Amino acid sequence: MTAPLILHNFFRSSTSIRVRAALNLKGVAYEQRTYALRRGDHRAPAYRALNPQGLVPALELPDGTVIPQSPAILEYLEETHPEPPLLPRGATARARVRALASAVACDIHPVNNLRILLYLETRFGADEAAVAEWFRHWVAESFGPLETMLAGSPDTGHFCHGDAPTLADVCLFSQAVNNRRFAVDMEPYPTIRRIVDACAALPAFERALPENQPDAA
Ligand SMILES: N[C@@H](CCC(=O)N[C@@H](CS)C(=O)NCC(=O)O)C(=O)O
């Protein structure tokens, strides 16, 4: 029997939600190792030995290989477990999905990550309200254009691209889940809301939610 994949992750981390949703959509079995980020578990030497960046998620393969970075993990899963596909057919369609996913993964998440928010507090004295405002600002900077891109394209269907979930949905959903903690107003984004609701209706996404994880506080 092959050893299962091990996902090093944290229940509330949006990059972890992405990977859990993709694993669930593809029906890939995995075990979890959890790290309490507020407590700094991810910076402990034992985890740094696995993933020198000390960030979650990381996917550990049965042969001991550790893949850090959620986009790399998602692409790895797509290559090794192609069914059901999370990228559409055709280079142009795939580029569209990757662009939508990147608007979250490259433009929102990096500036709203925990270590950034903590640095705002400790280095620049930002209080809770200021940190929340920062978070919401950077969500709006990308959610506004994303709403335009999704609402204005005939390629948008039940999900971000057509009628089956893709990597774009996995990223959008995880961001929307994270937004709840900072009371982001979703009213201006009816298409995004509709797509996020469509994702939430699927068990694979539901099982990826923070509240359904073993380390949920
Ligand atoms: N680009 C990385 C970012 C990973 C990342 O920063 N994860 C967050 C949780 S969502 C984390 O580990 N944060 C720890 C910290 O900020 O100290 C990815 O997509 O995997």
Side-chain angles (χ1 to χ4, degrees), residues 108 112-113 117 130-140 175 178-182 184:
I108 300 178
N112 279 350
N113 196 6
L117 304 185
V131 168
E133 186 185 328
W134 168 284
F135 185 99
R136 289 191 291 262
H137 172 79
W138 292 113
V139 170
Q175 184 60 52
N178 212 12
N179 287 353
R180 299 185 310 205
R181 289 175 45 223
F182 293 88
V184 171

Side-chain angles (χ1 to χ4, degrees), residues 181-209:
R181 289 175 45 223
F182 293 88
V184 171
D185 178 12
M186 293 292 285
E187 205 50 41
Y189 318 118
T191 316
I192 294 178
R193 274 192 281 125
R194 175 180 66 70
I195 292 171
V196 168
D197 286 348
C199 293
L202 296 182
F205 283 93
E206 211 227 328
R207 280 191 288 119
L209 285 170

Side-chain angles (χ1 to χ4, degrees), residues 7-61:
L7 182 65
H8 298 268
N9 79 151
F10 175 57
F11 75 109
R12 221 162 42 198
S13 135
S14 68
T15 51
S16 301
I17 298 172
R18 284 176 206 165
V19 172
R20 292 197 298 262
L23 286 160
N24 296 343
L25 283 164
K26 287 180 176 295
V28 178
Y30 61 99
E31 283 179 4
Q32 294 197 36
R33 302 284 183 275
T34 61
Y35 301 81
L37 299 191
R38 281 272 171 192
R39 206 168 59 198
D41 290 2
H42 56 305
R43 287 191 290 269
Y47 183 59
R48 290 251 195 213
L50 284 176
N51 178 6
Q53 279 195 291
L55 299 170
V56 294
L59 186 69
E60 188 174 344
L61 308 185

Side-chain angles (χ1 to χ4, degrees), residues 96 145-154 156 190-192 194-195:
R96 178 173 183 266
L146 268 172
E147 174 65 28
T148 305
M149 289 157 81
L150 289 166
S153 169
T156 303
T191 316
I192 294 178
R194 175 180 66 70
I195 292 171

Side-chain angles (χ1 to χ4, degrees), residues 82-93:
E83 294 299 328
L86 296 180
L87 283 171
R89 290 164 85 92
T92 311

Side-chain angles (χ1 to χ4, degrees), residues 61-138:
L61 308 185
D63 71 359
T65 304
V66 176
I67 307 176
Q69 292 290 344
S70 63
I73 298 170
L74 294 174
E75 295 276 349
Y76 170 83
L77 291 173
E78 186 66 7
E79 287 174 17
T80 54
H81 299 82
E83 294 299 328
L86 296 180
L87 283 171
R89 290 164 85 92
T92 311
R94 292 163 90 86
R96 178 173 183 266
V97 166
R98 287 187 172 113
L100 293 169
S102 298
V104 172
C106 303
D107 296 339
I108 300 178
H109 178 270
V111 288
N112 279 350
N113 196 6
L114 177 64
R115 59 184 175 171
I116 306 300
L117 304 185
L118 288 177
Y119 197 61
L120 288 173
E121 278 173 31
T122 55
R123 175 69 179 82
F124 298 106
D127 62 14
E128 206 180 314
V131 168
E133 186 185 328
W134 168 284
F135 185 99
R136 289 191 291 262
H137 172 79
W138 292 113

